[in-house]
Amino acid sequence: MDQRRPLIAGNWKMNGLLADGVALAEGLAELSRQHDGLPPDAAAEVPPDVPLALPCDVLVCPPFTLIDRIVQAVAGTKIAVGGQDCHEKVSGAHTGDVAAEMLKDLGCRYVIVGHSERRADHLETDHAVRVKAEAALRAGLVAIICVGETEAERDAGQTEAVVARQIAGSVPPVATPATVVVAYEPVWAIGTGKTATPEEAQAVHARIRKELDALLGSAAASGMRILYGGSVKPGNAAELLGQPDIDGALVGGASLKVEDFWAIAAAAK
Ligand code: 13P
């Protein structure tokens, strides 16, 4: 349990023109340099033994169009950059899609797959999400695999059954704590201002870990990070992140403000 270092990830979704995205990333980079005690003009390379002063890993996932510039903006800090989706193939005739290898090539370390907005808007199935996660692993990226029930499923008492099915169908059997992160995002809590209570979220996270145990074995399950997402804000982050099976947050709206995102990261234990 102790080895699970919290991960605070910002999912910018389809937000940000070039100037907005660069300003946001530069604001975070500046805070990160201050916390690390690095000079503001630190060189692009961070010595591996310099700890990020925050008690967590920090990740931003901008739109594809901004990734190259955001990687440059956070150079010299330990802030990681990720994509919001990837295609299952390495290359080929897939107009409009982006391969995991392309993200890796730009300096990404993570990619989100199976976000509920992609499951809903692009009809992504559990199987489609799993092959995207496998593509991420092939490319050397960490896959952040999202699961979560809709409001109707919740009202029907199906929350645990839905997330168990999504985990079984979306997580590659070769997943390890180093290659996969799970994100539990109840659909009814995304962008609504409604949040699962810490106790509700903890119960679902524990159920997810049980499912990971059945799928991957106890060592992988106990080491794998499970993030909570859905209206995480500075005001509710500490309580959520204080739960034993909540290992970080996947943050939408609040990740678009430097101070809010940093306050959430600072709340990680
Ligand atoms: P909000 O934090 O805006 O609710 O979004 C959560 C989310 O979907 C992150 O992936």
Side-chain angles (χ1 to χ4, degrees):
M1 298 268 291
D2 292 347
Q3 75 275 26
R4 295 200 305 264
R5 182 171 165 82
L7 171 63
I8 304 300
N11 175 8
W12 295 5
K13 308 191 180 185
M14 196 174 73
N15 292 296
L17 299 179
L18 189 54
D20 312 316
V22 169
L24 176 53
E26 283 177 348
L28 293 171
E30 188 53 35
L31 283 172
S32 178
R33 287 190 192 101
Q34 286 170 16
H35 280 253
D36 277 342
L38 295 175
D41 59 345
E45 289 300 315
V46 182
D49 54 358
V50 173
L52 184 69
L54 288 173
C56 60
D57 293 334
V58 177
L59 166 69
V60 292
C61 299
F64 292 136
T65 49
L66 300 185
I67 287 173
D68 192 28
R69 289 293 297 273
I70 301 307
V71 167
Q72 293 171 37
V74 301
T77 77
K78 288 207 165 175
I79 298 172
V81 180
Q84 298 175 13
D85 180 47
C86 66
H87 193 271
E88 66 183 86
K89 297 268 170 52
V90 179
S91 63
H94 302 288
T95 303
D97 280 311
V98 172
E101 282 76 5
M102 294 171 171
L103 298 174
K104 176 79 177 176
D105 188 40
L106 290 185
C108 286
R109 287 170 44 203
Y110 293 80
V111 62
I112 299 169
V113 294
H115 191 281
S116 61
E117 287 151 16
R118 297 218 46 100
R119 290 179 185 260
D121 297 352
H122 299 272
L123 307 179
E124 291 186 5
T125 62
D126 288 334
H127 179 261
V129 174
R130 197 185 79 197
V131 293
K132 286 176 182 228
E134 287 166 349
L137 272 50
R138 178 191 66 216
L141 297 173
V142 176
I144 301 180
I145 302 174
C146 302
V147 298
E149 82 286 3
T150 63
E151 184 147 40
E153 289 164 340
R154 179 190 193 224
D155 291 347
Q158 294 171 347
T159 297
E160 295 202 3
V162 168
V163 299
R165 190 202 70 222
Q166 290 174 329
I167 290 289
S170 311
V171 176
V174 296
T176 71
T179 59
V180 165
V181 172
V182 170
Y184 169 57
E185 298 203 305
V187 177
W188 50 268
I190 294 176
T192 58
K194 295 187 211 163
T195 320
T197 65
E199 294 74 25
E200 282 173 333
Q202 164 57 27
V204 182
H205 280 230
R207 180 70 183 80
I208 289 172
R209 202 173 302 284
K210 201 167 141 216
E211 198 60 35
L212 292 171
D213 191 322
L215 191 67
L216 308 172
S218 62
S222 66
M224 194 163 283
R225 293 183 287 188
I226 306 174
L227 315 184
Y228 173 80
S231 299
V232 177
K233 310 271 182 244
N236 60 23
E239 236 193 330
L240 287 161
L241 294 168
Q243 299 297 313
D245 285 291
I246 300 184
D247 309 313
L250 184 53
V251 185
S255 74
L256 298 174
K257 292 195 187 120
V258 173
E259 293 75 18
D260 286 0
F261 187 58
W262 203 258
I264 292 168
K269 298 274 181 322

